[in-house]
Amino acid sequence: MTLLIIGVVVLLLVFYAIGIYNKLVRLTTLVEEGWSGIDVQLKKRYSLIPNLVETVKGYAKHEQETFEKVVNARNLAQSATTLEGHQAAENQLNKALVNLFALAEQYPELKANQNFLKLQEELSVIEQDIEKSRRYYNGTVREKNILVDSFPSNILANIFGFIKSKFFELDNEAKRVLPQVKF
């Protein structure tokens, strides 16, 4: 009888460990999926930026430095390979886009251009989608990190090499605000 009780307890512990392991695998996959969603939205944004720059260039030809900053920031963001690299590049790109839109304010004809207005609207939608993707990603990271840190799941996480994931955050509160793209 004692052997049967010990066997049942061991079996329950094994099933519990399998459940925790599967949950860690699921959360790791969800984190990867979340990052993939952010990546898709960022690529859409990067594709839109050259069209936006070209439209503004037609009206403000002498503002070459601003255009170069936007293009360089876009290229840097596109080539980022780490989460930290993406965060830094996105901060720089947001600053450059804010400067581009501030420049556009000086040209009333540009603000009335239908192509510019369409690009501005598309960028605004993409920015909102990036924010939604970021929230989903950070939520899955939070769930995974809680499981990796919590007892007794942290024991299995260490045994099987699961590590905490990093949040996708901007540097400070002022940069957390999406660039205003309305005119």
Side-chain angles (χ1 to χ4, degrees):
M1 185 67 174
T2 307
L3 192 56
L4 181 62
I5 293 173
I6 291 173
V8 169
V9 169
V10 168
L11 193 57
L12 288 175
L13 287 174
V14 167
F15 282 128
Y16 180 71
I18 289 170
I20 289 176
Y21 177 83
N22 288 339
K23 190 170 184 179
L24 285 164
V25 168
R26 183 178 63 80
L27 289 172
T28 299
T29 302
L30 289 176
V31 167
E32 291 169 1
E33 174 195 13
W35 180 252
S36 176
I38 290 174
D39 196 42
V40 166
Q41 297 305 323
L42 292 176
K43 286 178 183 172
K44 281 184 184 179
R45 183 183 192 208
Y46 303 150
S47 297
L48 182 67
I49 289 172
N51 296 334
L52 191 60
V53 169
E54 286 304 314
T55 302
V56 175
K57 259 187 192 179
Y59 289 87
K61 293 179 171 75
H62 61 283
E63 301 287 351
Q64 193 63 31
E65 182 182 343
T66 302
F67 303 137
E68 287 175 8
K69 285 181 181 178
V70 172
V71 170
N72 290 339
R74 173 194 172 261
N75 292 341
L76 181 65
Q78 245 181 334
S79 64
T81 57
T82 65
L83 182 63
E84 293 82 7
H86 273 288
Q87 287 173 315
E90 286 302 314
N91 286 332
Q92 187 175 350
L93 182 56
N94 283 343
K95 283 182 193 174
L97 285 174
V98 167
N99 290 338
L100 181 69
F101 285 116
L103 171 70
E105 280 288 322
Q106 300 172 17
Y107 298 90
E109 329 69 68
L110 173 61
K111 292 190 321 186
N113 179 292
Q114 289 303 314
N115 189 33
F116 180 74
L117 293 174
K118 183 176 183 273
L119 291 169
Q120 169 190 345
E121 183 179 322
E122 286 178 39
L123 183 62
S124 179
V125 168
I126 290 171
E127 293 289 347
Q128 291 170 3
D129 290 344
I130 289 170
E131 182 58 30
K132 289 175 195 171
S133 296
R134 185 182 299 146
R135 273 191 246 127
Y136 173 78
Y137 171 80
N138 285 339
T140 57
V141 166
R142 180 191 64 236
E143 293 300 314
K144 178 186 175 199
N145 289 351
I146 288 170
L147 193 61
V148 168
D149 281 344
S150 299
F151 180 81
S153 57
N154 64 342
I155 296 168
L156 286 173
N158 287 332
I159 290 170
F160 291 107
F162 288 97
I163 58 172
K164 291 173 64 171
S165 297
K166 295 182 181 180
F167 291 99
F168 186 57
E169 298 177 320
L170 300 176
D171 288 341
N172 63 38
E173 284 298 318
K175 292 180 184 176
R176 290 180 191 266
V177 178
L178 290 175
Q180 294 297 319
V181 291
K182 63 180 182 172
F183 293 93

